[in-house]
Amino acid sequence: MEWQAVEIRLCQWILLMLVIIHYTCIQCNPINVTSEVTKRTLIQMPKIHVDKPDSYICMAVPVTDLEFSTIVGFKIDVVKEITHHVSIAFCEDYETRQTVWDCKSSHGHICSGRSTVFGGWDGWSKNHSDTVFPDDVGIQLGKDVKMNYVIIQTHFKEAVPDPDALKSNPTNVTLFLAEESRNYSFQKVSLYSSGYIPAFSEDFKAEITCKWESVPVQLYEYFAHTHNYGQLIEGYIVRNNTKILLAMDKPKGKSHDTVVIEGRHTEIRPGDILAVRCSFRNTGSSKVLFGLGGSDEMCNLELSFKYDAKEINAFPQSVKCGSDAQEKVWCPNGEHKQVGVLCDLQHESANKAALEDVHNLMM
Ligand SMILES: *[C@@H]1O[C@H](CO)[C@@H](O)[C@H](O)[C@H]1NC(C)=O
Ligand SMILES: *[C@@H]1O[C@H](CO)[C@@H](O)[C@H](O)[C@H]1NC(C)=O
Ligand SMILES: *[C@@H]1O[C@H](CO)[C@@H](O)[C@H](O)[C@H]1NC(C)=O
Ligand SMILES: *[C@@H]1O[C@H](CO)[C@@H](O)[C@H](O)[C@H]1NC(C)=O
Ligand SMILES: *[C@@H]1O[C@H](CO)[C@@H](O)[C@H](O)[C@H]1NC(C)=O
């Protein structure tokens, strides 16, 4: 780890140790999640020196002190002027064994063992209100689930040469905790493209498919994400030669705004194919690579789902599924034969008016 990149002065260390040992637990008014007793616990990333712009700083907090049994929601507050984005993960373990460290080189792969990435903040999205899981969904704490740390990763867009000059500590994460356990656990499935968008492409389609091999789960929320070239993102479940529309979104810059699937939650069953397609326009003379960098492009659909909390080992990690954008996996005969039903859509120009109706379709 490039520890030199993050100097932490003595006083910050002392502050940090206080944060780690006692990390500030504040008892607030119960939130209206359910009638269960809940409390809010504040975790603060200390004021630290950040060497250069575009740095990633991680902080690990052991969860042994969280007496309550379930995480049922969260809120993230940042100093907007210096912050690109923040993500929160719940991990069995992590490699560096430090409490605060420069984590740029791990490219977001911070956790080892079991993990759930359950929250985020970014400068492009509008909605930064409290995030509360559905009434029956939570992230279980405790020995049985073998999750030991909450890890907060802050991507700083600016350097912080003088931490004392910061108007407040850079990142606060407030966890909403409930005493009771919930019937369902939270996890995510992430579908994404690799490869590139060719130059001079009026309408390039990056396609993703993957087969659901696991237990049945219910989707309740998604976000669809591209960077600068995205025109439309579509997501379907293909089951027994029928397609079920899951998500259709017109990308809005780099936003990660989530769409809650109201009403009946959509089930994914073993044997289903998840199919995603992003349409891109790149009229430039260079190809554009898919990747995590700001000037790379993305085709990413993230689905939040709930599964039976008794199935403790069903999803030790989020489900990831990637396809190479240079391979046409939707039609006619990618890896999964049953996606033939998507051939109907192959030459359809994106029907943007349909966007209005999408949410009704899902109920
Ligand atoms: C929370 O519940 C109380 C009592 O049921 C109600 O008066 C209040 O309006 C609720 N607050 C919100 C934000 O829903
Ligand atoms: C974090 O919480 C502390 C204590 O309530 C507060 O003083 C500080 O302004 C907060 N920081 C942010 C970024 O909201
Ligand atoms: C933000 O999210 C909350 C909770 O999901 C929702 O009630 C609210 O309508 C959203 N606001 C916007 C602007 O999307
Ligand atoms: C959770 O499961 C129990 C037992 O199956 C059931 O009695 C209870 O109503 C469920 N709770 C919710 C919120 O669905
Ligand atoms: C597909 O249809 C068959 C026959 O109706 C049924 O047995 C099977 O469970 C279905 N598959 C899925 C994934 O629903």
Side-chain angles (χ1 to χ4, degrees), residues 108-217:
H109 300 291
I110 312 293
C111 299
S112 51
R114 304 168 73 97
S115 65
T116 307
V117 178
F118 64 91
W121 182 99
D122 70 78
W124 303 284
S125 302
K126 290 200 184 69
N127 201 342
H128 295 123
S129 51
D130 293 6
T131 299
V132 175
F133 299 144
D135 283 358
D136 51 0
V137 181
I139 295 175
Q140 316 296 328
L141 304 173
K143 288 200 185 67
D144 290 351
V145 287
K146 290 193 248 149
M147 298 286 241
N148 301 313
Y149 301 94
V150 171
I151 295 193
I152 299 165
Q153 173 189 268
T154 298
H155 179 182
F156 286 84
K157 66 182 170 194
E158 302 297 342
V160 181
D162 177 11
D164 295 331
L166 277 181
K167 65 181 182 191
S168 81
N169 56 305
T171 309
N172 284 351
V173 170
T174 307
L175 296 179
F176 308 161
L177 300 166
E179 228 165 25
E180 318 246 307
S181 57
R182 297 277 174 100
N183 286 357
Y184 293 94
S185 293
F186 169 92
Q187 194 48 286
K188 270 186 163 184
V189 50
S190 173
L191 299 117
Y192 57 90
S193 294
S194 56
Y196 62 91
I197 306 168
F200 306 115
S201 304
E202 272 300 324
D203 185 13
F204 177 77
K205 296 192 189 312
E207 299 167 350
I208 306 164
T209 54
C210 63
K211 188 170 187 178
W212 192 258
E213 313 267 17
S214 199
V215 297
V217 303

Side-chain angles (χ1 to χ4, degrees), residues 10-45:
L10 186 60
C11 59
Q12 270 109 41
W13 264 114
I14 294 165
L15 171 65
L16 174 62
M17 292 331 274
L18 289 174
V19 169
I20 298 302
I21 295 164
H22 296 291
Y23 53 92
T24 330
C25 289
I26 47 166
Q27 202 74 35
C28 300
N29 294 329
I31 49 168
N32 283 3
V33 185
T34 61
S35 56
E36 293 169 8
V37 179
T38 59
K39 74 165 184 180
R40 296 183 172 214
T41 292
L42 176 64
I43 301 170
Q44 301 184 62
M45 187 176 274

